[in-house]
Amino acid sequence: MKTAPEILQVLQEEFPGRLVKSELNVADPFAVVEWGAILEVCTFLKNNHDMAFDTLACLSGVDCKRFKGEPERMEVVYHLFSMKLRHKFVLKVELSRENPSLSTVEGIWANGNWHEREAYDMFGIRFEGIATCAASFAPMTGKDIRSARTMSSRRPIAACRSNRSSSLWRWQPKGLPVGTNPFKA
Amino acid sequence: MQVEAYEGEEMILNMGPQHPSTHGVLRLELQTDGEVVQKITPHIGYLHRCFEKHAENVDYPGVIPYTDRMDYVASMNNSLGYALAVERLMGIEVNDRVKTIRVLVAELNRIASHLLSVGTYAMDIGAYTPFLHCFREREKILDLFEWICGARLLYNYNWVGGLSHDLPDGFAGKARQFLAEFEPVIAEQNELLSFNKIFIERTCGVGVLSEELALAYNVTGPNLRASGVQWDLRKEEPYCGYETYDFNVPVGQGQLGPLGSCWDRYYVRVREMEECIKIIRQVLDRLPEGDVQEKVPKKVKPPKGEVYGRSETPRGELGYYIVSDGTLNPFRIKVKSPCFTALAVLPVISRGEMLADIIAVIGSIDIVMGEVDR
């Protein structure tokens, strides 16, 4: 079992200059990885026998728009755990809010597909290379999810934050002629 | 979905969202070749109630009723996971009485949840009597919960820093009485159902989930243990004093057919109920004195930061990723629900099964759509 500082050191040695920042003095130590490096870092963490992060415990999208004092950005947070070696670590990737996209990690951890589909439904984060037919949360219209009228955008809650958790899972395009199959739109 | 891509003999059928055996509003798009299912595409979201969005608009204690409603069958465990995560963020250490009662209600709820799972599974397969037996026992547990906190299913009981109500006088006696009545029921269940030839034929060898697949998809809980992996968060990362209790973690042994079949998943749950009885007896012998609301803060305002807290619910590992920005409302709460990841494995293990076997597989994974969709 490795401690968080040891894991961070290994990552810094293996990927010099590709970790944007890190924080060890928190409940769950994390490292922010450069956008283009996430796939390599995750592959390394899974396959290296000293790291052996065989489990993606959780993959979350976070919209940091109104987080005080921080620039507007979106984050994807990976909570990794090693069942073999009993250690854990957190990776984050920072994305722009305008066109968030990232490589998929479903090739590394199979459950990444479902978590990433959820992040796409909620925040519009596109994951490049994801197998879209594995699970379906929202009708596959091919349109950009953010251009769709969502429930929360039509009736904004007064105190709501900018976290764009939209309930798009039941979204149906309005105004189609009767009998049109929305799944083929 | 392109209809033209499919070959002539295959049919696309919708199972659900209204279906008596899909354990909630789950829509499965089945591509079948006669009776054999070639491909399943689950469509979820029919019970999506924007939990994560609501959680941003209420304060931390106000999230607890929402957490109850995710896995409505095992509410005590849901709110326990949340309370533990927030307490970790705030650095609150609760007293022993709170910890002990938390274990007590979590294990009682685990029995209730497994009774529901086992009973409805039997009903899905076609055996109606065990369902009634299981629900009769479950009613006794729900009566106990109603006595504690006034609610049968959605308790709002585990608060940040403590509990909403203390145990009433005489509770230990009634709980022991329940355990004494319940123990023979498990034996009766095994006699009626577990080793029943028809049940075995319907569930052994069906929906086999191998260890590698289970680990790749991060399946947790009884589903993972049925595939032979000894992994229980109550033992690996103990919370609430679980390390001080003496109990075993049942693991599937493949004694009737391939390891990781529906039967193994079902039988692991039955054996887990026996272990829960052991834990509850130890808790009732212990019950220390104390004030259950001693550490409940007036205003729950965690410092800026984030935490990922996880606990073992009857369905697996429930994780709360809570981001706090130092205000009274959470900034972001993401819930990693065990049923969500378990459902991901359904299309993989049911390829090539017949339609009736799909029912068996869904029931054995034990999903609650409230948790899948949140």
Side-chain angles (χ1 to χ4, degrees), chain B residues 100 172 176 278-288:
Chain B
T100 322
R176 276 190 236 273
K278 263 197 225 169
I279 301 176
I280 297 174
R281 286 215 164 101
Q282 289 169 56
V283 163
L284 293 172
D285 288 337
R286 224 180 266 201
L287 276 179

Side-chain angles (χ1 to χ4, degrees), chain A residues 28 61 67 86 92 118, chain B residues 236 304 306 308 332 374:
Chain A
D28 289 323
F67 215 108
R86 309 283 204 271
K92 295 191 185 189
E118 186 188 336
Chain B
E236 304 296 332
K304 190 171 167 187
E306 48 191 63
Y308 181 72
R332 168 90 169 103
R374 281 156 278 140

Side-chain angles (χ1 to χ4, degrees), chain A:
Chain A
M1 177 178 160
K2 287 205 174 319
T3 61
E6 287 169 4
I7 298 172
L8 182 64
Q9 193 183 1
V10 169
L11 278 178
Q12 277 165 341
E13 283 164 16
E14 191 68 30
F15 300 97
R18 307 202 77 185
L19 299 183
V20 174
K21 66 172 184 262
S22 61
E23 188 66 57
L24 288 176
N25 222 3
V26 287
D28 289 323
F30 65 86
V32 182
V33 177
E34 199 184 65
W35 180 87
I38 187 65
L39 202 57
E40 293 167 48
V41 172
C42 290
T43 315
F44 169 75
L45 285 174
K46 169 125 191 253
N47 297 336
N48 182 289
H49 66 271
D50 282 332
M51 300 280 109
F53 280 102
D54 43 25
T55 312
L56 173 66
C58 187
L59 191 162
S60 330
V62 183
D63 185 344
C64 299
K65 183 172 178 187
R66 288 217 196 108
F67 215 108
K68 285 210 177 76
E70 309 241 357
E72 281 189 18
R73 66 177 192 281
M74 275 214 187
E75 279 181 358
V76 173
V77 184
Y78 300 80
H79 282 89
L80 305 178
F81 180 69
S82 172
M83 277 174 90
K84 200 165 130 200
L85 299 176
R86 309 283 204 271
H87 51 225
K88 50 178 131 177
F89 202 65
V90 178
L91 293 179
K92 295 191 185 189
V93 183
E94 289 174 357
L95 312 168
S96 73
R97 285 189 90 239
E98 280 68 47
N99 198 15
S101 72
L102 196 55
S103 315
T104 177
V105 294
E106 67 167 359
I108 308 171
W109 300 288
N111 60 327
N113 177 287
W114 276 54
H115 284 295
E116 286 170 353
R117 282 311 309 268
E118 186 188 336
Y120 170 64
D121 279 339
M122 298 291 211
F123 297 99
I125 302 172
R126 293 182 174 279
F127 289 89
E128 312 293 332
I130 192 171
T132 51
C133 296
S136 173
F137 300 166
M140 294 289 293
T141 63
K143 288 189 196 154
D144 187 336
I145 218 173
R146 275 153 297 151
S147 66
R149 298 282 293 159
T150 67
M151 281 186 68
S152 52
S153 69
R154 261 184 276 147
R155 289 190 293 278
I157 305 169
C160 83
R161 295 183 174 271
S162 59
N163 254 345
R164 290 178 295 158
S165 306
S166 54
S167 61
L168 275 174
W169 287 352
R170 291 303 316 280
W171 177 74
Q172 289 280 343
K174 296 260 195 290
L176 288 180
V178 169
T180 312
N181 184 348
F183 295 99
K184 285 181 81 174

